């Protein structure tokens, strides 16, 4: 019994570490997007398309592939494709919102995904939500508001753009929930290959329609796209997908609020964007909120 409890605790610790590593990896995506030589929709396409390279390589090199359950019915394939459809709509809405409203509004509203994950988990799956968890969730959201400059910084947005950012948050919540449901049936790599490929298929028409060109013109431009695909998607999303086999989707999505904190630090280091007292305070509030929610 003690051995089983110790094993479960070890798995939870490893899953928590993977979740945080995934959040940090994804937090670097705004840097890659900012430095990309192609438009936001083209960047979104290459983000998922190029990520298939390490995902397929991992699949071919994997020693436990024979133990992986294969999809058998049409419904299995549909469920494997669904997260990619959600992710494609999330990326498209997120990038569109950045062109219509303020960066502060788009970032804050897109980070409301944990709220939708919590509500949907309760409404659809009757997952219990404790008061301590809700307190941590509220505190973390307040921290993101402070990090982005406080309520006063959110007044220069556009209502339509704000609404599209909320749509992005809703579909990212759907992505997290769909991945969470699949992890009890399929391996991390199988889920990632199917969801990433379906996301690429869905994003490509949006990129062709919205962008003048899909190809970067220099090696540096390609390096940014490969970095986005390999580090932020293949690395970050794989770590998160692994963690969702052991951690509740609501808590997992809340922990991802660490992304804007890490993104602010990376922008300070790599892009010389200053981090003021308000940003530091907001980051601290986010982290405290996550710690409180973990106790719940």
């Amino acid at each position: 019994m003690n051995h089983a409890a110790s094993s479960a605790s070890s798995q939870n610790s490893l899953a928590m570490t993977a979740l945080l590593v995934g959040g940090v990896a994804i937090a670097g995506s705004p840097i890659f997007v900012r430095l990309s030589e192609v438009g936001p929709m083209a960047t979104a396409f290459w983000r998922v398309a190029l990520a298939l390279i390490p995902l397929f390589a991992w699949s071919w090199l994997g020693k436990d592939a024979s133990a992986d359950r294969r999809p058998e019915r049409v419904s299995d394939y549909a469920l494997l494709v669904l997260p990619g459809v959600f992710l494609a709509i999330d990326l498209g809405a997120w990038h569109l919102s950045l062109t219509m409203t303020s960066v502060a509004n788009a970032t804050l509203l897109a980070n409301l995904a944990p709220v939708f994950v919590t509500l949907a988990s309760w409404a659809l799956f009757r997952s219990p939500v404790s008061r301590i968890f809700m307190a941590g969730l509220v505190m973390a959201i307040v921290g993101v508001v402070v990090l982005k400059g406080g309520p006063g910084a959110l007044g220069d947005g556009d209502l339509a753009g704000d609404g599209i950012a909320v749509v992005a948050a809703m579909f990212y919540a759907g992505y997290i929930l769909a991945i969470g449901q699949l992890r009890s049936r399929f391996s991390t790599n199988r889920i990632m290959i199917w969801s990433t490929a379906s996301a690429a298929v869905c994003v490509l028409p949006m990129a062709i329609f919205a962008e003048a060109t899909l190809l970067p013109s220099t090696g540096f431009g390609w390096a940014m796209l490969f970095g986005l695909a390999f580090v932020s998607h293949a690395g970050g999303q794989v770590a998160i997908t692994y963690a969702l086999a052991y951690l509740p989707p609501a808590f997992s999505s809340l922990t991802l609020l660490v992304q804007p904190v890490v993104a602010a630090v990376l922008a300070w280091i790599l892009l010389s964007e200053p981090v003021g007292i308000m940003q530091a305070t907001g980051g601290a509030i986010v982290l405290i909120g996550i710690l409180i929610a973990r106790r719940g």
Side-chain angles (χ1 to χ4, degrees):
M1 186 69 175
N2 290 337
H3 177 73
S6 175
S7 177
S9 176
S10 177
Q11 281 185 334
N12 284 340
S13 297
L14 181 60
M16 187 67 194
T17 301
L19 187 64
L20 291 174
V21 169
V24 170
I26 294 177
S29 61
I31 307 298
F32 291 119
V33 172
R34 182 85 62 87
L35 298 176
S36 175
E37 294 179 350
V38 294
M41 294 306 298
T43 301
F45 166 71
W46 289 116
R47 170 181 183 156
V48 286
L50 293 175
L52 289 169
I53 298 173
L55 291 176
F56 275 118
W58 178 27
S59 179
W60 289 327
L61 295 174
K63 296 180 180 180
D64 59 344
S66 59
D68 180 25
R69 175 182 171 182
R70 296 177 179 274
E72 299 171 354
R73 299 180 296 274
V74 174
S75 60
D76 290 337
Y77 289 102
L79 288 174
L80 284 167
V81 167
L82 186 61
V85 176
F86 284 152
L87 182 62
I89 298 174
D90 162 56
L91 291 174
W94 160 243
H95 287 139
L96 181 59
S97 71
L98 285 171
T99 68
M100 297 178 63
T101 189
S102 67
V103 173
N105 283 31
T107 304
L108 170 65
L109 295 171
N111 275 300
L112 290 178
V115 176
F116 294 114
V117 171
T118 302
L119 292 174
S121 295
W122 174 79
L124 298 177
F125 309 116
R126 293 299 180 222
S127 300
V129 181
S130 70
R131 293 181 180 179
I132 295 177
F133 178 85
M134 288 303 300
L137 173 60
V138 171
M139 177 172 283
I141 294 295
V142 169
V144 174
V145 174
V146 175
L147 178 68
K148 293 303 173 184
L154 305 177
D156 57 349
D158 174 81
L159 188 60
D162 292 348
I164 292 173
V166 172
V167 169
M170 294 173 66
F171 277 95
Y172 191 70
Y175 171 78
I176 290 291
L177 288 169
I179 292 290
Q181 293 297 305
L182 285 170
R183 279 299 283 124
S184 63
R185 303 172 61 183
F186 302 104
S187 70
T188 297
N189 191 243
R190 185 175 297 278
I191 294 169
M192 285 302 303
I193 287 177
W194 276 90
S195 62
T196 300
S198 60
V201 170
C202 293
V203 172
L204 181 57
M206 293 189 282
I208 293 174
F209 176 78
E211 308 288 8
T213 180
L214 297 181
L215 302 176
S217 56
T218 69
F220 176 82
W222 279 110
M224 292 302 98
L225 294 178
F226 274 102
L228 179 63
F230 284 28
V231 176
S232 295
H233 191 84
Q237 294 293 351
V238 162
I240 291 167
T241 300
Y242 168 81
L244 281 167
Y246 307 100
L247 299 173
F251 177 72
S252 300
S253 64
L254 172 62
T255 305
L256 297 182
L257 286 179
V258 75
Q259 292 177 27
V261 180
V262 177
V265 173
L266 290 176
W268 172 50
I269 296 173
L270 300 176
L271 301 178
S272 300
E273 294 185 2
V275 174
I277 295 177
M278 181 168 284
Q279 285 73 32
T281 301
I285 294 173
V286 169
L287 297 178
I288 292 172
I290 292 172
L291 290 175
I292 291 174
R294 189 182 185 190
R295 295 185 62 184

